[in-house]
Amino acid sequence: HVQLVESGGESVQAGGSLRLSCAASGYAYNMYCMGWFRQDPAKEREGVAAIGNDGSTNYADFVKGRITISEESNKSTFYLQMDALKPEDTGMYYCAAGVSFCSGAPPPYWGQGTQVTVS
């Protein structure tokens, strides 16, 4: 049973920082691509960052330089460090995983989301 559990979302002021965590279990996560998405109720869900099973990373243009995706050495937990937060970063943040996710396939596994609010 694949499970992804996010934590770390909260309300912060613009310019502040947050670190989101995603605890993974139930699959061979060392073979998977993992990533973060976000969704504001007024917008479509958008990809934020991803990390491949080889440690390579990709970021959406709107977060480059402000957000870093990383993972534990055993790949059971991965993180999203967000700095210089802006009000437009507000949204529900979801972690996701899948074998082919980093190649463009929709990730089959999702967490329940953690809310980030920047004011």
Side-chain angles (χ1 to χ4, degrees):
H1 175 64
V2 176
Q3 190 170 21
L4 299 172
V5 180
E6 303 97 333
S7 61
E10 60 181 77
S11 296
V12 296
Q13 291 189 338
S17 297
L18 280 177
R19 189 175 81 156
L20 307 183
S21 300
C22 180
S25 62
Y27 64 100
Y29 32 75
N30 60 337
M31 298 177 62
Y32 279 60
C33 176
M34 300 173 176
W36 292 91
F37 290 77
R38 71 184 188 189
Q39 186 166 20
D40 181 275
K43 302 177 184 177
E44 292 187 356
R45 186 173 58 196
E46 55 189 359
V48 176
I51 185 165
N53 57 5
D54 60 354
S56 59
T57 57
N58 283 290
Y59 296 94
D61 287 341
F62 55 80
V63 298
K64 284 183 179 177
R66 301 190 297 118
I67 288 181
T68 304
I69 189 170
S70 62
E71 60 188 1
E72 293 286 349
S73 57
N74 65 3
K75 301 183 183 293
S76 63
T77 304
F78 58 110
Y79 306 98
L80 192 70
Q81 176 68 41
M82 304 191 292
D83 301 313
L85 283 163
K86 304 175 182 180
E88 51 263 45
D89 293 319
T90 294
M92 187 69 78
Y93 282 70
Y94 299 90
C95 63
V99 174
S100 302
F101 167 31
C102 285
S103 300
Y109 305 115
W110 293 84
Q112 82 288 350
T114 187
Q115 178 68 37
V116 172
T117 303
V118 185
S119 59

